[in-house]
Amino acid sequence: MSMVHVAGNPALDLVGTVTSRGTLDADELTTPDVLAQWYVDAGIVTRRPMVDERHLAAAVALREHLFPLVESLAGGTALPDRHRTALNRAARGPVPVVAVGPDGRRTTSGDADACLVAVARAAVELFDRADGAVVRFCADETCTHPFLDRSRTRRRRWCDMASCGDRAKVRRYRAQPSG
C-alpha cells in the first residue's frame, strides 16, 4: 500500500509512507516532487508548494521521529524524550493559511516549511484526544500503516478495509478446508 491517506491524521499518514517497515522498508517519499504532491493529497495545502532536498530531508526526519512516538502511543508506553522534543521543535512556526477563493471554495496555501509544521501539529493532536479515538497499527502483517480508530467499539483492525481488510478476507477464505 503506498501513498495512501486513510489514517485520519496526516502525521499518521506520513508515518505510513514507509511500506512494510522492518522488512521491506520501502520509502515512498522518494523525491521533493513526490513530497509536494503528498502535501496536496493529505489536504495540507491546495496547491503544491516548492519543495527541495532540504524540505524532503526534514520531512523524512520528522517521520522517523514520529514512528517511535506513534509506537509508544499505540502501545501505551512512555514517550521517548528525544523524539518528543524533536516533534515539539517541528511543531513551532507558521502553518498554511486558510482563505476563501474567488469561487467560494476554501483554499489553503503555504510553503514547504509551513506544511511540515502543520503535519507536526497534527501529530501533537494525537496525544490528547478528546474524541476517544485510539491510535492503532494495521493488523495486516505486510502493512505497517498506523490509523485512528474512531469506530464505535474501538476494535478496527485494518488501516483500510478496501485493501488490507479485503486481503485478509481472501487469505482466510483460501485457508478454509474445501469440501
Side-chain angles (χ1 to χ4, degrees):
M1 178 176 303
S2 64
M3 303 302 280
V4 296
H5 299 276
V6 295
N9 180 291
L12 296 176
D13 283 327
L14 182 65
V15 169
T17 61
V18 173
T19 304
S20 301
R21 190 179 285 268
T23 54
L24 184 60
D25 288 326
D27 191 342
E28 301 293 335
L29 292 180
T30 53
T31 66
D33 208 39
V34 169
L35 177 60
Q37 186 61 48
W38 186 90
Y39 285 137
V40 173
D41 295 344
I44 304 296
V45 287
T46 309
R47 285 196 171 140
R48 293 167 53 143
M50 295 296 297
V51 176
D52 61 25
E53 291 293 334
R54 177 184 64 83
H55 298 117
L56 178 60
V60 168
L62 176 61
R63 179 188 66 200
E64 297 311 308
H65 284 294
L66 288 176
F67 182 74
L69 291 170
V70 171
E71 276 188 316
S72 293
L73 186 57
T77 60
L79 301 176
D81 281 337
R82 178 173 72 93
H83 300 296
R84 185 184 52 79
T85 300
L87 171 60
N88 289 337
R89 193 175 325 113
R92 295 181 191 136
V95 294
V97 176
V98 178
V100 177
D103 60 356
R105 298 184 70 178
R106 182 185 105 136
T107 64
T108 309
S109 60
D111 62 15
D113 292 326
C115 289
L116 196 59
V117 170
V119 173
R121 288 187 183 181
V124 169
E125 291 174 11
L126 294 169
F127 295 92
D128 192 19
R129 300 214 50 88
D131 64 359
V134 178
V135 174
R136 300 198 187 288
F137 280 91
C138 185
D140 184 319
E141 64 271 359
T142 63
C143 178
T144 55
H145 204 298
F147 62 90
L148 276 177
D149 180 359
R150 291 186 176 107
S151 67
R152 187 174 48 82
T153 61
R154 303 295 186 257
R155 292 189 174 176
R156 181 175 152 195
R157 297 186 62 210
W158 319 110
C159 66
D160 184 36
M161 193 60 202
S163 58
C164 292
D166 282 349
R167 279 195 305 272
K169 283 182 181 180
V170 168
R171 279 194 302 274
R172 224 176 14 251
Y173 176 77
R174 289 182 179 158
Q176 291 177 354
S178 59

